[in-house]
Amino acid sequence: MCIAAFVWQAHPLYPLLLLQNRDEYHQRPSKPVAWWDGSEILGGRDELAGGTWLACSRTGRVAFLTNVLELHTLPEAKSRGDLPVLFLETTKSPMEFAEELVTEAHQYNGFNLILADLSSKKMVYVSNRPKGEPVTIQEVSPGIHVLSNAKLDSPWHKAQRLGLNFKQWLGKHGEGEITVKEMVEKLMRDSVKADKSRLPGICSLDWEFNLSSIFVEVDTPLGRYGTRSTAALTVEEGGKVSFYEKYLEEDVWKEKTEKYYIQKKK
C-alpha cells in the first residue's frame, strides 16, 4: 500500500510536485533513491522483485504506482513494480504505453499507475481494477490529485485528509518556493486513523483501520509493516529535478537527495 499527493501543471514554480509514502514489510530488502546502474533511471528499488514504486529519468519522464486494496491476490502475478521501469525505458508517450498495457494488465494484481512526460506535459492514469471491468485509462487534468489504494481521487479518509492538507500547504506558500523536508514532516507522517464507519469494507476491519492513516505502522504475524519511505519529487520550470527521500534502513531513518536537469530533446 502507498499514498501519493501531487500538483500537476497548476503551480507557478513547479510543473510537478509530488509526495509519496511507500508502505511495505520492514524486512523486505530495498534500496533508497539512486541512479540505477547502466540506465537513466533514478528511484528507489525493490531488491526482491527488482522494480520500483516511484522513479524518473533524465529525459523528463516520471512513473509511480500504488497497489489496489483487495481481499484476494494472485501469487503467480507479474510484479507491479516492473511497470514504472518499463515506461521509463521506452520512448512511448504515456497514452501509447497505457494503451499497449491493456492486453497484459490482467496479469498483474490490482494497480494504480501514473505515467508522466514533462516535455509534452502529458500525464495518464491507468488501473486494472475493478476486476472484470475494462482497464481504466484517463488523462490527468491539471490540478491537485491524490492516489491511494482505490481509484485516483477516491474519497477515502487518508486521501481526503492528505489532499486537504496538501492544498492548504500549497496555498499557505502561494507562489513561493516549497521547503519539501518541512512538507514531508508535516503532511506525510500523519498517523491519524479513520473512523471505523468510514472504512471501505474490503478486508478485515482491523487491517483496514491500521492502513487508514497517511503514515502507517503496524505489527503483523509476518513482521512489522508500514511506511518505510517518503519521497518528495519536485520539477521546476527550468527543468531542475530534485528527488528527496526519507527512508528506513535497519530501523534508522535516513535521508538523501538527488538533483539533475532534464535533458532537452535535440
Side-chain angles (χ1 to χ4, degrees):
M1 302 294 115
C2 301
I3 188 168
F6 58 97
V7 57
W8 169 248
Q9 302 294 340
H11 190 282
L13 292 184
Y14 306 103
L16 174 63
L17 192 160
L18 162 70
L19 301 176
Q20 185 183 37
N21 273 356
R22 181 208 181 201
D23 301 334
E24 185 52 86
Y25 285 100
H26 284 203
Q27 74 268 26
R28 187 175 176 115
S30 300
K31 287 184 177 179
V33 59
W35 289 102
W36 292 18
D37 290 341
S39 80
E40 297 286 285
I41 294 175
L42 174 67
R45 194 162 199 173
D46 172 28
E47 291 189 89
L48 201 62
T52 189
W53 51 97
L54 164 63
C56 51
S57 74
R58 292 192 189 276
T59 56
R61 294 158 75 83
V62 179
F64 59 96
L65 59 74
T66 67
N67 297 350
V68 173
L69 183 64
E70 49 191 348
L71 187 57
H72 301 292
T73 57
L74 300 172
E76 71 278 10
K78 288 184 175 182
S79 173
R80 290 167 284 204
D82 289 342
L83 294 171
V85 182
L86 290 170
F87 172 70
L88 294 174
E89 288 179 339
T90 74
T91 57
K92 294 169 186 169
S93 72
M95 187 59 74
E96 286 170 341
F97 183 89
E99 289 172 346
E100 289 187 14
L101 179 58
V102 169
T103 57
E104 298 179 3
H106 66 282
Q107 297 176 23
Y108 299 86
N109 285 316
F111 67 79
N112 294 307
L113 176 66
I114 297 283
L115 311 166
D117 184 341
L118 274 298
S119 299
S120 64
K121 299 183 179 180
K122 296 293 184 183
M123 179 182 277
V124 171
Y125 164 68
V126 191
S127 180
N128 65 345
R129 292 295 183 269
K131 281 183 179 178
E133 294 186 12
V135 174
T136 298
I137 299 178
Q138 71 182 63
E139 193 163 322
V140 179
S141 60
I144 293 172
H145 299 276
V146 182
L147 186 65
S148 58
N149 309 113
K151 292 285 189 184
L152 180 66
D153 297 320
S154 287
W156 282 18
H157 162 83
K158 65 196 296 182
Q160 288 187 319
R161 184 175 177 86
L162 180 55
L164 178 62
N165 291 342
F166 187 60
K167 184 177 181 179
Q168 288 177 342
W169 189 272
L170 292 177
K172 184 174 75 172
H173 288 78
E175 298 185 1
E177 188 175 339
I178 303 292
T179 307
V180 294
K181 289 186 182 182
E182 186 181 3
M183 199 177 193
V184 162
E185 290 300 318
K186 297 290 186 181
L187 303 189
M188 305 307 287
R189 298 187 70 82
D190 182 351
S191 58
V192 174
K193 292 180 171 58
D195 186 283
K196 290 189 176 182
S197 65
R198 293 195 60 195
L199 298 175
I202 297 167
C203 303
S204 75
L205 192 66
D206 285 346
W207 183 238
E208 289 189 357
F209 180 70
N210 284 320
L211 297 181
S212 67
S213 53
I214 294 163
F215 185 89
V216 174
E217 200 169 36
V218 56
D219 288 315
T220 81
L222 297 176
R224 176 151 282 214
Y225 179 91
T227 304
R228 292 185 43 178
S229 160
T230 301
L233 181 70
T234 61
V235 182
E236 297 179 19
E237 277 294 348
K240 183 180 179 180
V241 179
S242 176
F243 195 143
Y244 166 79
E245 184 185 20
K246 186 169 185 176
Y247 60 97
L248 200 57
E249 187 173 272
E250 296 179 353
D251 296 325
V252 177
W253 285 99
K254 300 181 179 181
E255 56 183 11
K256 188 177 181 183
T257 304
E258 292 281 355
K259 297 182 179 183
Y260 68 98
Y261 279 89
I262 294 172
Q263 293 174 349
K264 294 183 179 180
K265 293 181 179 179
K266 295 179 181 179

